[in-house]
């Protein structure tokens, strides 16, 4: 959610380690490809966490009736395994 009086940012973490951060200066989409280094990957399940600076309901600052608290949206989010060569 892009609000004129707030600075939105995102942090992408894997297993407790920050992989990448980004802070928006405009409301333009951010396009990124984030690589997960093999040394941060676990065998089995891994925890992928996306943290944002804020979440707000559009109804709080616009004439929209939307009351869900929103932060950022994804048009595509893929996690692809890329095994290392022996």
């Amino acid at each position: 959610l892009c609000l004129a009086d707030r600075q939105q940012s995102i942090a992408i973490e894997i297993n407790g380690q920050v992989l990448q951060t980004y802070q928006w200066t405009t409301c333009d989409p951010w396009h990124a490809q984030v690589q997960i280094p093999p040394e941060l990957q676990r065998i089995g399940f891994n925890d992928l966490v996306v943290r944002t600076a804020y979440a707000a309901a559009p109804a709080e600052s616009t004439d929209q009736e939307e009351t869900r608290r929103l932060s950022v949206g994804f048009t595509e989010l893929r996690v692809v395994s890329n095994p290392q060569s022996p």
Side-chain angles (χ1 to χ4, degrees):
L1 180 64
C2 184
L3 298 175
D5 62 338
R6 307 279 304 267
Q7 190 76 43
Q8 185 62 282
S9 63
I10 190 172
I12 300 170
E13 303 174 5
I14 185 76
N15 299 323
Q17 297 291 316
V18 176
L19 293 176
Q20 189 157 357
T21 61
Y22 181 78
Q23 185 169 19
W24 278 266
T25 56
T26 67
C27 293
D28 293 334
W30 175 50
H31 302 277
Q33 183 175 14
V34 180
Q35 299 283 331
I36 302 173
E39 61 272 13
L40 296 181
Q41 297 176 38
R42 299 180 192 150
I43 294 174
F45 292 102
N46 290 268
D47 296 317
L48 177 67
V49 177
V50 177
R51 299 189 192 279
T52 60
Y54 69 87
E60 296 172 12
S61 60
T62 67
D63 59 356
Q64 295 182 28
E65 295 181 11
E66 178 64 68
T67 58
R68 292 179 299 161
R69 294 177 55 77
L70 307 174
S71 56
V72 298
F74 296 91
T75 55
E76 182 176 25
L77 176 63
R78 281 194 268 170
V79 179
V80 179
S81 175
N82 188 10
Q84 290 183 315
S85 301

